[in-house]
Amino acid sequence: MSSKDEADRGNGLQNTMFGQFDDQSYEQWRALIEQRTGLQLADHLRTYLQGGLNRRMKLHNIHDYEQYLEYVTNERNGIKEWSELIDTLTVQETQFFRHLDSYSFIETYLKELVDSSERTRSIEMWSVGCSSGEESYSLAMLAEKVLTESEHMASYGVIGTDISLSAISSAKLRIYKARKADWIPDHYHHCFDRLDNTIKIKQRIADRVCFARVNILDLDRVPIRDMDIIFCQNLLIYLRKWRRKEVVNRLSERLKVGGILVLGLGEVTDWSHPKLRQVDSRDVLAFERFKA
Ligand SMILES: C[S@@+](CC[C@H](N)C(=O)[O-])C[C@H]1O[C@@H](n2cnc3c(N)ncnc32)[C@H](O)[C@@H]1O
């Protein structure tokens, strides 16, 4: 998010109608958000946080930050309100095929996997922090291409998960602004239909993709396992370094033997796992679960 966006989102409603967003209120809110989501709000995002709170408080005619905190944490509607608030505070920017090198790496991996597997194998992929679904559909298009070009009859499935309910709803709709297609390499253009100023992912791709709301801090309660590919990019950067390592430890446990974990470049440093080896590459950050 640019500082202009932050200012635009924050400034509109602040100061006059709400109580003071003093250091104590700020710290209380910042701590609650980090405790529940892992997201670490840097100090320069204070105005952005205030703007998000103000918009929600205005809707409920609440004029005091502490009262709103009470509402979110204690009241009967607190869980629903919390989820609305998180929608306004999370950065959901995303693109199809956002980091091309990662997708090229996965393409090679998938080809080898399909060629070395039984003919009827299903390939399972997980897009963690999938936002509005572009990443999940990119993985699906890629898998479909590899499987179509192969003589094997393998199938595939993608699950996209995110903490944001509105992001998940958009993902299920699978309709995107037409300019987003610029990010999709030409040879995948048969995977969507063009409708006026939008594109819509084809049903046959959507049939292979499902979405669910998952907070990455709650992975212990999530029954997703035995994945061939876990893809998690542009989410860990919002977490503290020690928490990133905890999350990738949890994700690693969900890999099948021989499966791969693909992260964003530089998103985890000084991390290793006894069951994983880092793929030797400067262009991707990926780890493979040992076959033995
Ligand atoms: C910047 S987007 C990245 C989207 C996509 N992975 C990409 O690289 O284009 C970050 C996503 O992480 C989600 N997110 C943030 N905190 C989360 C949490 N604690 N659990 C699950 N998802 C979270 C946000 O809602 C947002 O959709």
Side-chain angles (χ1 to χ4, degrees):
M1 167 135 336
S2 73
S3 41
K4 178 177 180 310
D5 290 340
E6 284 153 25
D8 287 348
R9 293 188 72 171
N11 285 341
L13 292 165
Q14 73 196 34
N15 299 333
T16 47
M17 42 195 323
F18 305 101
Q20 228 202 336
F21 193 55
D22 56 19
D23 288 353
Q24 194 190 339
S25 304
Y26 170 56
E27 284 307 331
Q28 273 180 327
W29 274 102
R30 196 160 79 145
L32 182 70
I33 289 164
E34 184 166 354
Q35 180 208 336
R36 288 188 171 190
T37 67
L39 299 175
Q40 190 195 359
L41 282 184
D43 278 339
H44 72 277
L45 293 177
R46 180 170 170 154
T47 314
Y48 172 68
L49 168 62
Q50 187 180 9
L53 296 175
N54 290 356
R55 275 194 302 284
R56 295 305 308 169
M57 285 160 64
K58 184 165 185 254
L59 279 176
H60 296 288
N61 205 17
I62 295 175
H63 300 275
D64 181 86
Y65 296 101
E66 225 164 290
Q67 197 190 338
Y68 182 53
L69 190 114
E70 185 80 1
Y71 180 76
V72 163
T73 49
N74 288 332
E75 296 279 326
R76 241 178 339 138
N77 286 335
I79 293 179
K80 183 165 182 300
E81 179 56 25
W82 175 256
S83 119
E84 304 275 359
L85 176 65
I86 284 307
D87 278 353
T88 71
L89 295 179
T90 44
V91 177
Q92 290 168 4
E93 184 189 324
T94 186
Q95 290 297 351
F96 291 99
F97 294 94
R98 186 169 182 179
H99 185 243
L100 269 178
D101 286 334
S102 294
Y103 288 95
S104 303
F105 168 72
I106 289 176
E107 182 168 3
T108 308
Y109 172 80
L110 277 178
K111 281 180 181 159
E112 286 173 11
L113 182 66
V114 171
D115 287 343
S116 63
S117 305
E118 316 115 55
R119 295 184 69 82
T120 54
R121 190 184 195 287
S122 176
I123 291 158
E124 306 298 336
M125 294 173 278
W126 182 7
S127 155
V128 185
C130 65
S131 189
S132 36
E134 290 87 329
E135 184 177 279
S136 316
Y137 292 122
S138 302
L139 290 169
M141 291 185 238
L142 179 54
E144 197 190 68
K145 174 174 177 283
V146 172
L147 294 181
T148 310
E149 290 168 358
S150 152
E151 287 166 5
H152 283 61
M153 301 292 291
S155 65
Y156 70 92
V158 181
I159 179 160
T161 61
D162 200 281
I163 197 173
S164 162
L165 272 182
S166 66
I168 292 293
S169 304
S170 306
K172 286 180 180 168
L173 272 182
R174 65 191 154 93
I175 296 176
Y176 301 95
K177 294 205 170 97
R179 63 182 156 73
K180 285 217 153 190
D182 296 349
W183 288 73
I184 306 179
D186 289 351
H187 51 272
Y188 295 114
H189 282 208
H190 65 282
C191 295
F192 59 81
D193 295 312
R194 286 190 185 272
L195 325 155
D196 297 330
N197 295 324
T198 58
I199 58 165
K200 183 167 187 182
I201 303 297
K202 285 230 163 92
Q203 185 67 48
R204 77 160 194 287
I205 303 283
D207 286 345
R208 295 273 158 208
V209 184
C210 67
F211 294 97
R213 180 168 190 241
V214 169
N215 180 347
I216 41 144
L217 296 196
D218 293 336
L219 287 177
D220 287 343
R221 286 189 283 167
V222 176
I224 304 177
R225 55 193 77 252
D226 289 336
M227 292 287 118
D228 292 292
I229 296 173
I230 299 180
F231 196 90
C232 181
Q233 295 196 334
N234 302 300
L235 162 52
L236 297 170
I237 42 169
Y238 299 103
L239 313 187
R240 288 186 196 275
K241 289 194 171 147
W242 65 265
R243 213 190 282 275
R244 298 181 197 186
K245 293 180 185 176
E246 282 206 352
V247 170
V248 287
N249 278 334
R250 299 281 88 77
L251 291 175
S252 304
E253 291 157 13
R254 308 309 171 97
L255 280 176
K256 217 175 249 175
V257 168
I260 51 166
L261 171 66
V262 183
L263 308 175
L265 275 181
E267 288 184 345
V268 172
T269 48
D270 302 327
W271 174 80
S272 61
H273 188 284
K275 291 186 179 158
L276 267 59
R277 70 162 187 94
Q278 183 167 353
V279 171
D280 186 17
S281 167
R282 284 200 316 203
D283 305 320
V284 296
L285 179 59
F287 301 84
E288 180 176 11
R289 185 159 169 190
F290 290 122
K291 297 205 170 75

